[in-house]
Amino acid sequence: MRDEISKLRDEAAEALRSASDLTALEQVSVKYLSRKGLVAGLFKQLGKVDAAERPIIGQLLNDLKQQLENLEAERTLALKPRSKEFDVDTTLPGRGTWIGSYHPLTIVMREITDIFGRMGFRVADGPEIELVKYNFDMLNTPPWHPSRDESDTIYLPNGFVVRTETSPVQVRTMEKQDPPVRIISPGRVYRRDRPDATHSPMFHQVEGLYVDKGVTMAELKGTLLAFYKELFGQDTKLRFRPHFFPFTEPSAEVDITCPFCKAEGCRICKYTTWLEMGGSGMVDPNVLQGVGYDPEIYSGFAFGLGIDRIAMLRFGIPNIRLLFDSDVRFLRQFSGFTPR
Ligand code: DAH
C-alpha cells in the first residue's frame, strides 16, 4: 500500500505539472482527484489494510490528497489567463525618475549675487507692489516723465503701482540705514509691454547701489566691468553711453561687447558687436537729500541691469517667453547646471 501511494504521488504530481492548459489540467484532476478518481480508489482499499497499520496509511492518504490538491490549485493559477489589470510586463524598462533642476534665472541670479557678494554688496529686498512715492517721487522722477505714463506703468488703487524697476529698493534701503551702503537687489519688475521674443510685461532686474564718502564714477565703471568679466569672460569690454535717468546725474547706459560672437558681429548684437545691458550713473543729489543723506558729504553710484538678457545670453535662449512658460521640456535642459 505504501508503495502504491508513493507511486501514485509521483505519477499524479508529474501529470499535474505537465498539464499545458486548463483543459488538460481538468482531465488530470478528474483522473486522480475526482470522487471516482485514483486517489479515492486508494481510500477505498483502506478497509483491507491491517487494523494496526490503518491510521498510518490513512494519514498518508490524507497527505497525498492534500498535496495533490495544492499542486492542482497552483497549476490552475499559473494557467489561468490573467486579467489586464494585473498584467505586469516585468521585462519593460523602469519609468525612471527625474531629479529637479534650477530655473535658468535662478542659476543666473545666484551667480550675480555671488559675484557682487565677493565685491562687498549684500542683497536687499523690496515689495513688488510699490508706492508711487518710492517708485517715482523719491527717485526724483518729474511729473511729466514718460515712465509715469499709464501706457507704460500699471497703476493700482491708493497710490500704488506694480513696480516698474528695482530702483525703489535704493530709497527704501537708504531710508533705513546710514552710509556706507552697498547693496544689490534682484527681482521682478512690470511694464505694459507688448510681448515678443525680447519683451515681456514681467521681467527681472538687478539694482545696485553704493554710497559712501568720495565714491566716483570710475568706481562704477570698474565695478560693472569686473562683474561682466566674471560673468562672460575676461575678454569682455564695457562702454558707457551718455543718457538721462531722473535718479542719476550724470547717467550712462551700459554696453558690453557681445559675448555671443565674441564681438565678431552676429544676429544677437545686430552686427554692432555691442549689447545694451542696463542703466547706471551717479546718484542724484536730490535722491540723497530725500533720504536724509548730505550730498555735500556723500556721493554714490547706482545701476539697474537686465537679468533675463543675461540668462538668454548665458544659455543661448532665443525667446524671453521660454523663461516664463514653465515648459518642462525647456526646463529639463538645465538639470546639468548648478549655480557656481
Ligand atoms: N531703473 C532704470 C530702468 O529701469 C535702470 C537704472 C538706470 C537703474 C540707472 C539705476 C540707474 O539704478 O542708476 O530703466
Side-chain angles (χ1 to χ4, degrees):
M1 190 70 177
R2 284 170 195 260
D3 286 352
E4 268 177 87
I5 291 173
S6 142
K7 221 182 107 207
L8 192 70
R9 171 184 295 118
D10 293 347
E11 195 190 301
E14 177 56 28
L16 286 167
R17 278 196 202 100
S18 52
S20 56
D21 57 39
L22 286 174
T23 326
L25 185 65
E26 174 72 19
Q27 282 167 8
V28 175
S29 297
V30 169
K31 179 172 174 192
Y32 293 97
L33 291 165
S34 64
R35 273 204 298 139
K36 292 184 176 164
L38 293 175
V39 175
L42 284 183
F43 269 102
K44 274 193 194 128
Q45 294 177 34
L46 203 54
K48 290 185 224 147
V49 174
D50 243 17
E53 274 244 72
R54 205 173 293 149
I56 302 164
I57 300 294
Q59 183 62 48
L60 283 175
L61 279 173
N62 277 330
D63 288 349
L64 171 70
K65 192 169 173 243
Q66 190 63 54
Q67 280 168 9
L68 293 181
E69 278 172 357
N70 286 351
L71 249 180
E72 183 207 21
E74 239 171 66
R75 204 60 199 134
T76 309
L77 214 68
L79 292 175
K80 228 182 193 156
R82 281 168 295 163
S83 73
K84 276 260 156 37
E85 247 176 294
F86 298 109
D87 199 4
V88 176
D89 184 349
T90 52
T91 64
L92 279 177
R95 248 179 233 160
T97 51
W98 177 57
I99 298 172
S101 57
Y102 288 103
H103 192 281
L105 280 169
T106 306
I107 297 170
V108 166
M109 280 205 227
R110 294 218 183 156
E111 287 179 358
I112 293 170
T113 48
D114 176 59
I115 296 169
F116 279 115
R118 282 187 269 124
M119 292 196 269
F121 290 79
R122 72 173 177 87
V123 173
D125 207 4
E128 287 175 31
I129 306 242
E130 185 55 284
L131 285 161
V132 172
K133 175 181 138 190
Y134 287 120
N135 198 85
F136 292 123
D137 302 345
M138 292 188 74
L139 284 165
N140 196 39
T141 312
W144 50 262
H145 196 273
S147 65
R148 289 188 184 248
D149 283 359
E150 280 196 31
S151 58
D152 285 330
T153 299
I154 300 163
Y155 282 86
L156 302 171
N158 304 322
F160 285 94
V161 290
V162 195
R163 71 176 180 189
T164 59
E165 50 192 7
T166 43
S167 306
V169 184
Q170 287 185 30
V171 181
R172 286 180 171 276
T173 308
M174 287 190 286
E175 267 190 345
K176 270 185 280 186
Q177 76 170 86
D178 291 331
V181 176
R182 189 151 40 181
I183 56 119
I184 56 160
S185 186
R188 295 193 189 98
V189 299
Y190 302 82
R191 287 185 202 170
R192 280 192 204 276
D193 244 339
R194 190 179 294 278
D196 63 26
T198 53
H199 293 85
S200 159
M202 186 279 292
F203 57 102
H204 298 77
Q205 285 186 335
V206 56
E207 194 73 15
L209 174 73
Y210 175 33
V211 182
D212 202 351
K213 288 177 184 157
V215 176
T216 69
M217 198 154 183
E219 285 170 285
L220 167 62
K221 200 170 182 184
T223 303
L224 290 177
L225 181 60
F227 166 67
Y228 282 114
K229 277 186 167 181
E230 196 59 20
L231 203 60
F232 289 125
Q234 291 302 313
D235 49 356
T236 307
K237 292 188 180 58
L238 181 139
R239 76 177 181 190
F240 276 171
R241 268 181 302 107
H243 200 74
F244 173 80
F245 295 105
F247 28 87
T248 41
E249 186 59 38
S251 305
E253 282 204 305
V254 183
D255 293 350
I256 61 163
T257 44
C258 179
F260 213 75
C261 60
K262 296 276 165 217
E264 299 260 315
C266 67
R267 270 177 47 214
I268 309 279
C269 61
K270 301 203 178 80
Y271 298 93
T272 64
T273 74
W274 293 98
L275 284 177
E276 194 185 312
M277 303 304 289
S280 69
M282 300 306 290
V283 182
D284 195 289
N286 286 341
V287 175
L288 294 176
Q289 213 139 35
V291 296
Y293 287 8
D294 186 346
E296 297 294 328
I297 301 174
Y298 296 106
S299 62
F301 67 65
F303 54 81
L305 314 170
I307 296 182
D308 313 88
R309 170 141 233 196
I310 293 175
M312 289 167 78
L313 286 168
R314 171 101 161 66
F315 295 114
I317 299 165
N319 192 318
I320 193 170
R321 276 171 290 184
L322 286 166
L323 292 173
F324 311 128
D325 281 350
S326 301
D327 186 335
V328 262
R329 290 169 304 176
F330 168 74
L331 296 173
R332 261 180 202 178
Q333 297 176 59
F334 301 92
S335 59
F337 291 94
T338 34
R340 276 185 290 211

